[in-house]
Amino acid sequence: MRLRVARYPLKSIIVKIKKNMKFHRKAFIAIRHVLVLFYRLKGVEIGDGTLISFGAWIDTHRNAKVRIGNKCIISNGSKILAHDWAKAKMGLVGKSDHFTTTTIEDSVFVGMNSIVLCGVKVGQGAIIGAGAVVTKDVPPYSLVVGNPAKVIKRYDFVSGKWCEALHSPPVEEINTTEQNAFTCHGARQQEAS
């Protein structure tokens, strides 16, 4: 007795999986849009094209302000805070001083399980690594990692590469209007010779 096996069983299974994946992808995108709408209704200013993962948490206290720019990605497990009750309880600040504005500018990627503390400004195009705790302002087009987060790389517009941030200028000295605000250490040596 011979068993008859369908000629292309694997192909039909793959077609079914692809159809289901298209449906699930659309469902996930719809849920993410609902999540963005939820945060907007709670008072968070969110730009166009921003994606917020399911496990992300954004501070929505009525007096706290969080601003997120266009085309940002907030990964799963990340937290963005805009108030600090500990300082108020310890008497380090007044009752109304523990509410601050946390700003995330355009095209920022916030990595998985990272924390952005209150009052921090994350510059345009910055990347916050997974698990980072951002306690101070982040310059534009830089990569920060660690606890507390430190700048380890910056993007050089002249060479079009990410460069080590060994001798990086302070945030105040970086001119964001000029595309070549900072250059690689190697590019400076080549220009000098």
Side-chain angles (χ1 to χ4, degrees), residues 85 88-89 93-99:
W85 284 104
K89 293 289 183 188
V93 295
K95 294 260 182 194
S96 62
D97 294 338
H98 64 277
F99 296 107

Side-chain angles (χ1 to χ4, degrees), residues 143-164:
L143 170 65
V144 296
V145 296
N147 180 10
K150 293 181 183 175
V151 177
I152 60 165
K153 290 192 176 191
R154 293 218 173 134
Y155 187 75
D156 178 23
F157 287 97
V158 175
S159 67
K161 297 178 182 177
W162 286 91
C163 305
E164 298 295 324

Side-chain angles (χ1 to χ4, degrees), residues 57-73:
W57 183 82
I58 300 172
D59 194 352
T60 57
H61 193 277
R62 59 190 159 125
N63 294 333
K65 294 283 183 197
V66 176
R67 293 188 179 117
I68 301 173
N70 300 324
K71 298 181 182 176
C72 294
I73 298 175

Side-chain angles (χ1 to χ4, degrees), residues 162-180:
W162 286 91
C163 305
E164 298 295 324
L166 300 175
H167 304 288
S168 57
V171 177
E172 297 82 27
E173 293 180 17
I174 297 175
N175 184 359
T176 57
T177 58
E178 295 181 21
Q179 292 297 312
N180 56 358

Side-chain angles (χ1 to χ4, degrees), residues 26-101:
K26 289 178 184 177
F28 283 134
I29 291 170
I31 291 171
R32 285 188 174 166
H33 287 296
V34 169
L35 196 59
V36 169
L37 179 64
F38 166 76
Y39 280 120
R40 283 183 179 154
L41 291 173
K42 292 289 240 171
V44 178
E45 296 175 23
I46 301 174
D48 295 331
T50 294
L51 293 175
I52 300 173
S53 291
F54 305 115
W57 183 82
I58 300 172
D59 194 352
T60 57
H61 193 277
R62 59 190 159 125
N63 294 333
K65 294 283 183 197
V66 176
R67 293 188 179 117
I68 301 173
N70 300 324
K71 298 181 182 176
C72 294
I73 298 175
I74 312 297
S75 298
N76 188 24
S78 57
K79 294 168 181 53
I80 301 171
L81 305 175
H83 75 282
D84 189 359
W85 284 104
K87 287 183 182 177
K89 293 289 183 188
M90 294 174 64
L92 298 175
V93 295
K95 294 260 182 194
S96 62
D97 294 338
H98 64 277
F99 296 107
T100 58
T101 301

